[in-house]
Amino acid sequence: QIACNPMRQLMENPDFKAEFIQRTNTYIHTLWNTTRVDQIFTDYKNVIASEIQADRDRWQTGWNFLTWDTNVDLVSQYFDIRPDSMRQMLDNELNVSGRNQLNLTFNSSSNGVVALHDNYYLVPENYSGIYHANIPLEIHAIPNPGFRFSHWQETGVTDASLYININSNTTLTPIFVAAQNVVINEIHYNPAGTSEAAEFIELFNPDSSPLDLSSFEFTDGICFEFPANTIINPGEYIIIANVAA
């Protein structure tokens, strides 16, 4: 009887294999980032260090502080070499090669964020990472409320979601613009522990010009018609609620 190896079987699926490889590359730069992990390790080390002497005195163990320091240094060194070791493991075990750098240029003033992979993993501002060539990578531009995705600056592509190979060093800058119309920015429905009086709908005008809401109305969920001469100015919010206060 042949033993079943579920992971090996999963790797026979090209979509799963691609996602596994490129998501591992992302986690090397984020969740497993050397600086981040080393700080977490240092925090735990400092907590444990205060108990070392008491533990040795109680149990009369054979190790000493020199052993402790040596082992701590070894773990810290492991964090430094892990990124390259993991990439090499992917090369060797999954028979892939070639890596290039991806730069995603955006920040808090860009009016949107960027996510990677089919789990829409949000990456930090001005993200840079190394990815394997000839293996597809999902890239998603996500606008903030009141904005919409326009295009990728470097290519002009208007698709907010890309599925591409990083076959050379690549920079992508998402361009987000005002949504051009009044948007429903927030719905505060059925808040816990409060009455319906606290429910509200918030509208926002992301455009650069005032917009006239006269005779616009909600007909589903709530019933409300905006009175004549209701103007929402650029960047202005309007709240619809049972109790204005």
Side-chain angles (χ1 to χ4, degrees):
Q1 184 176 4
I2 299 174
C4 178
N5 187 327
M7 191 64 183
R8 186 175 297 278
Q9 290 178 329
L10 285 171
M11 287 300 174
E12 294 176 0
N13 182 309
D15 293 334
F16 179 89
K17 181 178 178 179
E19 179 73 7
F20 179 88
I21 292 170
Q22 299 295 45
R23 198 185 292 194
T24 298
N25 285 322
T26 295
Y27 290 167
I28 288 172
H29 292 286
T30 54
L31 290 177
W32 306 325
N33 175 274
T34 299
T35 301
R36 174 182 180 273
V37 175
D38 195 58
Q39 183 58 59
I40 295 172
F41 174 67
T42 299
D43 292 342
Y44 277 107
K45 179 191 72 176
N46 292 338
V47 172
I48 295 171
S50 63
E51 305 293 332
I52 291 298
Q53 187 62 53
D55 181 82
R56 187 170 188 275
D57 292 343
R58 179 176 181 180
W59 300 106
Q60 297 297 307
T61 50
W63 57 267
N64 53 36
F65 279 100
L66 179 60
T67 304
W68 159 261
D69 291 336
T70 300
N71 290 337
V72 164
D73 289 341
L74 287 174
V75 174
S76 184
Q77 292 170 26
Y78 165 73
F79 296 145
D80 292 334
I81 66 174
R82 181 166 65 170
D84 287 338
S85 295
M86 293 187 71
R87 294 188 185 100
Q88 193 62 52
M89 179 200 69
L90 291 174
D91 291 352
N92 296 339
E93 297 297 326
L94 299 178
N95 193 30
V96 292
S97 62
R99 309 185 196 111
N100 296 296
Q101 184 160 308
L102 171 66
N103 301 310
L104 297 172
T105 308
F106 69 101
N107 54 41
S108 58
S109 62
S110 298
N111 300 314
V113 296
V114 178
L116 299 178
H117 313 300
D118 60 10
N119 66 337
Y120 281 70
Y121 183 83
L122 293 175
V123 295
E125 297 177 1
N126 295 322
Y127 171 79
S128 180
I130 298 173
Y131 290 87
H132 279 80
N134 302 309
I135 297 176
L137 172 68
E138 289 190 36
I139 306 174
H140 309 280
I142 305 172
N144 290 342
F147 295 86
R148 61 182 175 85
F149 174 75
S150 172
H151 63 281
W152 297 98
Q153 180 174 284
E154 290 76 14
T155 64
V157 173
T158 57
D159 293 330
S161 293
L162 305 176
Y163 194 52
I164 60 174
N165 295 337
I166 309 301
N167 288 340
S168 61
N169 292 338
T170 301
T171 297
L172 291 171
T173 305
I175 302 300
F176 302 99
V177 297
Q180 301 297 323
N181 292 301
V182 172
V183 297
I184 299 175
N185 195 58
E186 184 175 356
I187 299 176
H188 194 234
Y189 167 71
N190 197 26
T194 60
S195 67
E196 290 186 0
E199 297 181 344
F200 66 83
I201 296 175
E202 179 182 82
L203 304 183
F204 173 64
N205 179 11
D207 206 348
S208 58
S209 303
L211 295 173
D212 188 353
L213 298 182
S214 302
S215 299
F216 277 59
E217 62 180 328
F218 285 92
T219 60
D220 190 9
I222 65 168
C223 294
F224 178 79
E225 182 176 342
F226 289 92
N229 301 316
T230 301
I231 304 297
I232 181 168
N233 291 312
E236 185 177 33
Y237 297 85
I238 286 181
I239 300 293
I240 303 168
N242 260 338
V243 181

